[in-house]
């Protein structure tokens, strides 16, 4: 356990990311400046009237950078209530966020990033999260609240020639507010329905002539949106706390040292997925959900998921603690700039789940507490000149993950899991007390050298080649020791009929997968300035995602031995094409950026869900080929300082190009082996061993996503203070998407639109008060649907938040 001193040592740091898409905004410096277009997403750092980004490790305007990038300012995040990545996806159409709990969180860009489904620790994420230059290896950090954020850059496309950790889909570059040598501060409180309470505060100022400090704190709580009739509690609540501290030391004019630390904690009663529907499978009818429930006299508390009721009977918890410390040194040597970032981070996960999703004591515990530590060191040297500039860097990363899994079965398990034709199904003692204890370990090391160069061949034309050399090594362990209710080991050597049934539900297994490989990747970007305010770019990249190891168990052969060939997965080979134009018109009152992309992936790392109940979490496998392609646009207009509007959108066609041996959807699963193959959902028929899903959609990807909004204001005074009254609307529309690794009629999530309103008063001296309504029309939608293990035909899901409303007051000084 970490001492209190160590935990309070953890606080903040500035960050950056890079990816190709179209940048989204301009902001006028004040009301007297020439009107400049602004998306309501872009209250970010400005230079004159231009949004400044650091995606390429130097300050540039968003319009000039040849990358696909959306920029969202900290003030905008606060006004729109986007206090975590889940809320952020409503503002950035190509970004997809899915989470059944903090550990089982996925962030994808343009449909790729991580396999959709329950998390496996043994692979790398394709979307990088950087906070003040520090790479966050655990995607769970994305579920925590943003804290004292200055700006977020969402970068789309492969990143690896400018960043420490290679990412193939994109990155979130989060920059926090720096310590200042002038005293300043801010405070914000929010109250809303469902008991929503949020408070944020920060203070910054000098400690000495060469030393400044900044401290920020955030706390969020909200009653759960699901009522558990079994316990009388509202679950799936919010309970978040965050602290961030920084010290900035400037010993000379050309050296700065930033010490940063952060600590974040979640402790909600969470997270339950609830009954949505049933769909017939090819299992015998007496082994499907309705028959199994009827056999035990069980009836779900509600068949309408938007009643928001459940009766799950196992304890729930989503304890989640993340923290770290870093030191960033920047030294201006004259010819160039040297940067060093040293960081340590930890992540502690203490969950409790009910994996049968019912009020029956089938699974009485399904918990995988986990601890992760990571160490990173990044070195960069950059030079900027009139004819050329370059950046070269080196990166070292080590991650250690230790997980202690526990799955326990209860007295209702025998009737639910054993074939009713077997007399043992009527004996609750067969599976009652059956326990699988898992020891899961990963040691992950990555070393890299990278660089990017920029040659300005003419005043309007330049080329930017980049490279990366990477070494990755992963060493894993998966061991599952199974004991029955009598305390006896369950083994494959036993022929006892009771043990045979027990190991069919929870099979013992041990294997030690390894992976290591070198990779080389490169990219080249060409940019051409068509006119003073019209910039074009084109990018070609060949990159990779490192191979991985399976750490959630793999199928056994007939003798009960793990199939070791499934212990690791090959690297993804990625070929990426992108082109875009960034333009401004009407004296920069209008910004229009458009881009098109195509990414081809060989040996795509996909999640395969095994039909056995005991292999609950699925495992990784390689699909032969995947492709994602489409186009994106970002239009913003600001005819005057009193009105602005934006519309951003994406069309993404993400499909398996070749995956002939994929797992079948639930309607084609659970039946017997042999021929003929039964019709989908025909009980008691035969199922194919696998299914060819070539040409079908990747999970979690809406083909069309559009974000749009507007804000208008008028001058006003309040209590003798000058300011403005404003009103705004923001909305996000997305089309339907598959919510299963293999598309299924049972798990297709319908498209929906979420609309948010706000109206308030902001003064010239930093005071702001506004009322807000999110999901104002109370749209009923699902964030995610899932097929529980066992293939009984049960479909569970997470209803999205209902209408929420409240009041926010904030001030800066």
């Amino acid at each position: 356990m970490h001492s209190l001193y160590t935990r309070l040592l953890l606080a903040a740091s500035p960050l950056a990311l890079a990816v190709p898409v179209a940048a989204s905004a301009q902001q006028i410096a004040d009301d007297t400046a020439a009107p400049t277009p602004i998306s309501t997403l872009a209250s970010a750092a400005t230079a004159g009237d231009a949004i400044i980004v650091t995606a390429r490790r130097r300050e540039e305007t968003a319009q000039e950078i040849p990358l696909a990038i959306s920029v969202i300012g900290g003030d905008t995040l606060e006004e729109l209530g986007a206090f975590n990545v889940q809320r952020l996806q409503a503002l950035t159409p190509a970004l997809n966020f899915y989470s059944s709990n903090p550990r089982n969180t996925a962030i994808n860009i343009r449909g790729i990033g991580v396999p959709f489904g329950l998390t496996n620790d043994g692979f790398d994420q394709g979307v990088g999260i950087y906070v003040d230059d520090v790479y966050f290896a655990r995607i769970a950090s994305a579920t925590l609240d943003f804290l004292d954020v200055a700006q977020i850059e969402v970068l789309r496309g492969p990143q690896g020639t400018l960043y420490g950790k290679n990412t193939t889909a994109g990155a979130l570059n989060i920059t926090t507010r720096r310590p200042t040598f002038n005293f300043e501060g801010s405070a914000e409180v929010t109250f809303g329905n469902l008991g929503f309470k949020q408070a944020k505060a920060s203070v910054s100022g000098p400690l000495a002539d060469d030393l400044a400090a900044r401290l920020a704190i955030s706390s969020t709580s909200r009653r759960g949106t699901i009522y558990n009739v079994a316990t009388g509690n509202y679950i799936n609540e919010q309970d978040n706390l965050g602290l961030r501290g920084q010290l900035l030391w400037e010993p000379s004019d050309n050296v700065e040292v930033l010490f940063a630390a952060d600590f974040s904690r979640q402790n909600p009663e969470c997270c339950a997925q609830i009954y949505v529907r049933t769909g017939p499978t090819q299992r015998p009818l007496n082994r499907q959900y309705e028959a199994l429930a009827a056999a035990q006299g069980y009836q779900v508390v509600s068949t309408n998921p938007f009643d928001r009721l459940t009766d799950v009977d196992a304890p729930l918890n989503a304890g989640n603690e993340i923290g770290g410390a870093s030191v960033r040194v920047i030294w201006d040597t004259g010819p160039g700039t040297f940067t060093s970032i040293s960081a340590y981070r930890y992540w502690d996960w203490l969950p409790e789940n009910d994996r049968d999703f019912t009020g029956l004591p089938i699974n009485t515990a399904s918990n995988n507490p986990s601890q992760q530590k990571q160490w990173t060191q990044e070195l960069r040297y950059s030079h900027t000149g009139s004819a050329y500039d370059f950046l070269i860097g080196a990166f070292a990363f080590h991650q250690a993950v230790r997980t202690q899994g526990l799955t326990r079965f209860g007295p209702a398990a025998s009737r639910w899991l054993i074939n009713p034709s077997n007399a043992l199904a009527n004996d609750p003692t067969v599976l009652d007390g059956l326990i699988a204890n898992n020891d899961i370990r990963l040691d992950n090391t990555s070393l890299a050298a990278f660089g990017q160069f920029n040659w300005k061949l003419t005043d309007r034309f330049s080329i930017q080649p980049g490279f990366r050399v990477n070494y990755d090594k992963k060493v894993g362990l998966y061991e599952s020791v199974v004991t029955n209710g009598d305390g006896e080991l369950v083994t494959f050597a036993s022929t006892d009929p009771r043990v045979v049934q027990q190991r069919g539900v929870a099979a013992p297994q041990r294997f030690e997968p390894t992976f290591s490989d070198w990779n080389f990747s490169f990219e080249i970007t060409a940019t051409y300035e068509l006119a003073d305010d019209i910039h074009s770019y084109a990018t070609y990249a060949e990159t990779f995602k490192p191979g991985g190891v399976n750490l959630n168990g793999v199928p056994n052969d007939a003798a009960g031995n793990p199939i070791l060939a499934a212990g690791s997965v090959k690297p993804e080979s990625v070929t990426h094409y992108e082109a875009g134009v960034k333009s401004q018109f009407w004296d920069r009152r209008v910004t229009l950026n458009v881009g098109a992309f195509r990414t081809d992936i060989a040996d795509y790392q996909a999640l395969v869900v095994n039909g056995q109940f005991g292999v609950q979490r699925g495992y990784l496998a390689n699909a032969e080929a995947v492709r994602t392609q489409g186009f994106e646009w970002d239009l913003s207009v600001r005819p005057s300082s009193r009105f602005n509007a934006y519309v951003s959108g994406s069309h993404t066609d993400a499909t398996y190009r070749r995956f002939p041996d994929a797992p079948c959807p639930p309607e084609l699963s659970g039946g017997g082996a042999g021929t003929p193959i039964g019709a989908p959902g025909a009980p008691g028929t035969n199922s194919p061993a696998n299914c060819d899903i070539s040409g079908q959609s990747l999970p979690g990807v809406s083909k069309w996503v559009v974000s749009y909004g507007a804000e208008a204001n008028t001058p006003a005074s309040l209590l003798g203070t000058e300011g403005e009254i404003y009103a705004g609307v923001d909305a996000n529309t997305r089309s339907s998407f598959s919510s299963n690794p293999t598309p299924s009629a049972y798990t297709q999530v319908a498209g929906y639109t979420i609309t948010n309103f706000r109206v308030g008063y902001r003064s010239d001296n930093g005071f702001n008060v506004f009322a807000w309504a999110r999901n104002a029309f109370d749209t009923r939608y699902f964030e995610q649907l899932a097929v529980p293990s066992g293939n009984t035909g049960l479909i569970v899901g997470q209803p999205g938040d209902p209408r929420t409303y409240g009041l926010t007051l904030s001030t800066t000084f």
Side-chain angles (χ1 to χ4, degrees):
M1 294 296 294
H2 301 270
S3 68
L4 178 62
Y5 173 79
T6 301
R7 294 178 181 180
L8 292 178
L9 247 187
L10 318 169
S13 21
L15 101 74
L17 298 190
V19 185
V21 169
S24 73
Q26 294 291 320
Q27 180 177 359
I28 60 174
D30 54 52
D31 288 349
T32 64
T36 304
I38 176 175
S39 158
T40 54
L41 304 186
S43 61
T46 63
D49 62 358
I51 299 296
I52 300 301
V53 298
T54 58
R56 296 201 299 169
R57 304 303 195 186
R58 58 182 183 269
E59 292 189 348
E60 302 174 279
T61 69
Q63 281 302 106
E64 293 175 339
I65 188 171
L67 299 173
I69 179 172
S70 295
V71 186
I72 307 168
D75 293 342
T76 297
L77 291 170
E78 292 167 4
E79 288 198 1
L80 301 185
F83 57 85
N84 57 27
V85 176
Q86 183 175 15
R87 300 285 181 89
L88 186 64
Q89 71 169 343
L91 309 177
T92 51
L95 179 69
N96 302 293
F97 176 94
Y98 306 98
S99 180
S100 58
N101 61 44
R103 182 175 184 269
N104 296 312
T105 297
I107 297 179
N108 290 335
I109 290 178
R110 296 171 172 172
I112 57 175
V114 297
F116 186 91
L118 294 179
T119 296
N120 187 316
D121 289 323
F123 66 90
D124 288 39
Q125 59 198 46
V127 176
I129 298 178
Y130 294 82
V131 178
D132 295 335
D133 283 348
V134 177
Y135 174 71
F136 281 41
R138 292 305 311 205
I139 210 72
S141 60
T143 66
L144 299 174
D145 292 355
F146 296 141
L147 181 57
D148 208 23
V149 169
Q151 181 168 294
I152 296 178
E153 300 164 13
V154 180
L155 311 157
R156 305 184 281 280
Q159 301 303 308
T161 64
L162 286 170
Y163 288 87
K165 197 75 173 74
N166 189 55
T167 55
T168 56
L172 273 65
N173 184 23
I174 304 172
T175 304
T176 66
R177 295 184 172 99
R178 289 164 50 90
T180 59
F181 286 92
N182 296 315
F183 180 74
E184 67 176 36
S186 65
E188 176 184 298
V189 292
T190 299
F191 302 94
N193 65 327
L194 302 180
F196 182 78
K197 296 183 290 292
Q198 187 174 70
K200 298 179 182 180
S202 67
V203 63
S204 179
L207 300 179
D209 290 343
D210 59 356
L211 186 66
R214 188 176 194 97
L215 181 65
I217 185 170
S218 172
S219 176
T220 303
S221 64
R222 191 186 75 177
R223 195 199 77 189
T225 56
I226 305 293
Y227 183 71
N228 189 347
V229 301
T231 63
N233 295 338
Y234 283 95
I235 60 174
N236 294 9
E237 60 187 0
Q238 294 177 3
D239 182 9
N240 304 342
L241 174 68
L243 299 169
R244 181 182 298 276
Q246 300 179 82
L247 285 173
L248 176 61
W249 179 40
E250 296 183 347
S252 66
D253 291 342
N254 60 347
V255 175
E256 74 166 41
V257 182
L258 182 69
F259 303 91
D262 65 273
F263 168 80
S264 298
R265 188 263 307 151
Q266 290 178 322
N267 192 33
E269 186 175 359
C270 190
C271 300
Q273 294 176 298
I274 66 174
Y275 178 103
V276 173
R277 60 166 298 181
T278 60
T281 73
Q282 292 176 321
R283 265 190 161 203
L285 196 58
N286 64 354
R287 301 204 69 188
Q288 300 205 31
Y289 177 85
E290 286 85 353
L292 293 169
Q296 302 200 52
Y298 174 73
Q299 185 172 350
V300 66
V301 62
S302 174
T303 58
N304 179 359
F306 294 103
D307 287 342
R308 301 179 186 272
L309 298 174
T310 188
D311 60 350
V312 293
D313 57 336
L316 299 176
N317 187 47
N320 191 34
E321 185 178 299
I322 295 175
S326 66
V327 180
R328 186 179 68 181
V329 179
I330 300 177
W331 175 28
D332 183 356
T333 65
T337 301
F338 173 80
T339 303
S340 169
I341 307 106
S342 308
Y344 161 79
R345 299 206 60 77
Y346 79 90
W347 175 68
D348 287 345
W349 169 234
L350 188 63
E352 294 179 280
N353 300 293
D354 189 329
R355 286 294 177 197
D356 60 56
F357 307 98
T358 73
L360 290 169
I362 303 168
N363 254 141
T364 56
S366 180
N367 313 327
N368 284 272
S370 185
Q371 307 82 42
Q372 181 227 294
K373 298 179 181 180
Q374 72 166 66
W375 298 263
T376 57
Q377 175 63 57
E378 184 169 352
L379 301 172
R380 301 194 303 263
Y381 180 78
S382 61
H383 166 83
T384 301
S386 59
Y388 69 92
D389 50 65
F390 66 84
L391 179 147
I392 56 174
F395 180 71
F397 165 83
H398 182 73
Q399 174 190 40
V401 183
R402 301 293 183 263
T403 301
Q404 307 81 41
L406 167 67
T407 300
R408 183 175 63 239
F409 298 89
S414 294
R415 292 286 293 272
W416 196 269
L417 303 176
I418 298 175
N419 192 325
S421 63
N422 189 317
L424 293 176
N426 297 314
D427 184 350
T429 67
V430 176
L431 298 184
D432 188 17
L434 183 70
I435 295 176
N437 284 292
N438 299 337
D439 182 5
I440 305 171
R441 305 180 188 183
L442 172 69
D443 288 285
N444 181 10
T445 300
S446 181
L447 304 173
F450 56 91
Q452 189 176 97
F453 305 85
N454 180 29
W455 278 282
K456 303 169 187 175
L457 301 180
T458 72
D459 290 341
R460 292 186 178 272
F461 179 65
S462 65
I463 59 172
Q464 296 146 27
F467 75 94
R468 183 182 188 87
V469 179
N470 220 87
Y471 173 73
D472 291 281
K473 181 178 181 180
K474 294 181 174 71
V475 177
L477 166 70
Y478 178 87
E479 182 174 24
S480 181
V481 177
V482 182
T483 57
N484 60 28
D486 297 324
E488 303 168 334
L489 283 175
V490 174
T491 69
F492 279 90
S494 175
T495 58
D496 183 332
R498 292 171 63 91
V499 174
V500 170
Q501 294 301 320
Q502 291 162 358
R503 70 178 180 233
V505 170
Q509 190 174 86
R510 178 189 169 92
F511 62 99
E512 298 182 49
T514 62
F515 169 83
S516 64
D517 197 14
W518 287 88
N519 289 97
F520 175 78
S521 59
F522 68 91
E523 71 171 51
I524 185 166
T525 297
T527 64
Y528 186 74
E529 187 177 327
L530 300 170
D532 288 347
D533 287 324
I534 304 177
H535 307 271
S536 65
Y537 67 91
T539 297
Y540 173 78
E542 290 194 9
T543 184
F544 69 96
K545 181 178 174 184
V549 294
N550 271 305
L551 294 177
N552 285 344
V554 296
N556 288 324
D557 61 21
N561 300 310
I563 301 175
L564 297 180
S568 62
V569 290
K570 294 182 287 187
E572 294 182 355
S573 297
V574 180
T575 302
H576 177 76
Y577 314 83
E578 182 149 359
V581 176
K582 300 183 177 184
S583 59
Q584 292 183 299
F585 308 97
W586 192 18
D587 294 330
R588 296 188 175 179
R589 292 178 174 89
V590 175
T591 298
L592 174 62
N593 299 329
V594 296
F597 65 90
R598 172 170 167 165
T599 304
D600 293 299
I601 304 176
D603 294 320
Y604 176 78
Q605 295 168 5
L607 183 72
V608 175
V609 180
N610 190 284
Q612 297 170 258
F613 193 90
V615 186
Q616 291 192 67
R617 297 188 178 277
Y619 59 97
L620 292 172
N622 291 107
E624 291 185 38
V626 158
R627 183 183 69 202
T628 178
Q629 61 184 3
F631 57 88
E632 299 157 335
W633 73 92
D634 192 340
L635 172 66
S636 63
V637 57
R638 184 175 183 125
S640 74
S641 61
R642 298 301 171 197
F643 178 79
N644 67 77
Y646 73 95
V647 56
S648 302
S650 66
H651 174 268
T652 306
D653 179 25
T655 56
Y656 299 102
R657 302 315 302 159
R658 182 163 173 77
F659 198 2
D661 56 351
C664 292
E667 56 265 42
L668 274 172
S669 302
T675 56
I677 301 300
T685 59
N686 294 323
S687 296
N690 47 55
C691 288
D692 186 350
I693 61 171
S694 303
Q696 298 193 43
S697 297
L698 290 179
V701 189
S702 293
K703 185 161 287 189
W704 291 97
V705 182
V706 182
S707 297
Y708 43 98
E711 182 178 293
N713 66 74
T714 187
S717 61
L718 180 66
L719 301 177
T721 302
E722 296 301 314
E724 61 188 24
I725 295 172
Y726 65 93
V729 57
D730 291 275
N732 177 262
T733 297
R734 58 185 59 233
S735 61
S736 66
F737 62 88
S738 168
S739 191
N740 195 55
T742 295
S744 166
Y746 302 158
T747 56
Q748 190 73 14
V749 176
Y752 56 86
T753 296
I754 303 298
T755 305
N756 310 314
F757 295 100
R758 65 190 180 280
V759 59
Y761 171 81
R762 61 170 76 97
S763 71
D764 295 342
N765 62 6
F767 175 73
N768 189 9
V769 56
F770 63 96
W772 48 265
R774 297 170 190 139
N775 190 10
F777 300 120
D778 204 19
T779 299
R780 293 184 169 189
Y781 68 101
F782 291 105
E783 294 179 355
Q784 190 174 347
L785 298 175
V787 181
S789 300
N791 202 45
T792 66
L794 175 63
I795 305 297
V796 297
Q798 294 168 268
D801 279 356
R803 178 193 297 116
T804 58
Y805 49 87
L807 183 71
T808 297
L809 299 93
S810 67
T811 186
T812 59
F813 52 88

